[in-house]
Amino acid sequence: MKFEFREEHGVAIEGAKQGVPAPEQGVRRLDFDLPNKLLAQLVGAGAAYLSIMYVAFQAGTGLGLIFVVFGLVPVAYYGLPLMMQQASGPNKDDVPRKGAWGIDTASGYLSGRAAYAQVMTVPLLMVAWAIFVAVIT
C-alpha cells in the first residue's frame, strides 16, 4: 500500500515534518438563523403529530416504546444543533437586521414568509395526515 501526500494550504506535507506549522483556520460560528417563534412552532407541530397519533392508536399494545423513540428523534434533531450553536460562542460579525426577518440559505436570502413556507410545509402536512388518520380509525 502506497500513501500519496499532496500539498494543502500552500504548505507541502513534507514541510510540516520539518517544523513548518500549517496555517491557522478560524472556527466559524454555527448559525442556524431560525427565530425562536418558528422553532417553537416546529416543536409544537411535532408534539401535535405525536399526540394525535398516540390518541388515534391508543388501543394498540406496545406502542409506548415506539412513541418514546419517535419523541426522542425530534429532540435530538433540533436539540443537538442548538447545543452546538450555543457552544460555538457569540457571533461578533453579525449585523442586526431591523424590520422583517429572513434567513440566509445556500440559494440566497429568503424572506420570513418564504422561510416559513419552506420550514413548516412538511410538519403541517404531517399534522394534517395525523388528523386524517385519527378520523378514519
Side-chain angles (χ1 to χ4, degrees):
M1 183 174 359
K2 180 181 176 185
F3 292 106
E4 295 182 15
F5 298 99
R6 58 187 166 87
E7 187 174 312
E8 292 184 12
H9 306 293
V11 177
I13 299 298
E14 293 85 6
K17 291 179 186 176
Q18 298 171 357
V20 177
E24 289 187 29
Q25 294 178 349
V27 178
R28 198 170 131 279
R29 174 174 155 54
L30 297 171
D31 205 6
F32 296 102
D33 288 331
L34 285 182
N36 290 336
K37 288 182 182 180
L38 183 58
L39 189 61
Q41 289 176 1
L42 277 170
V43 172
Y49 172 78
L50 289 175
S51 301
I52 293 167
M53 293 301 270
Y54 183 77
V55 168
F57 294 106
Q58 188 171 349
T61 58
L63 285 179
L65 179 63
I66 293 170
F67 279 98
V68 167
V69 172
F70 285 163
L72 288 176
V73 168
V75 169
Y77 186 76
Y78 294 111
L80 183 62
L82 286 175
M83 288 182 359
M84 290 171 58
Q85 181 181 17
Q86 290 175 354
S88 65
N91 189 359
K92 296 175 181 142
D93 299 330
D94 191 19
V95 177
R97 293 184 181 168
K98 295 187 178 187
W101 67 274
I103 58 174
D104 288 316
T105 65
S107 61
Y109 184 78
L110 291 178
S111 68
R113 290 181 186 206
Y116 184 86
Q118 279 194 355
V119 171
M120 290 301 292
T121 298
V122 172
L124 291 177
L125 284 174
M126 288 173 56
V127 170
W129 173 254
I131 292 170
F132 176 74
V133 168
V135 168
I136 64 171
T137 53

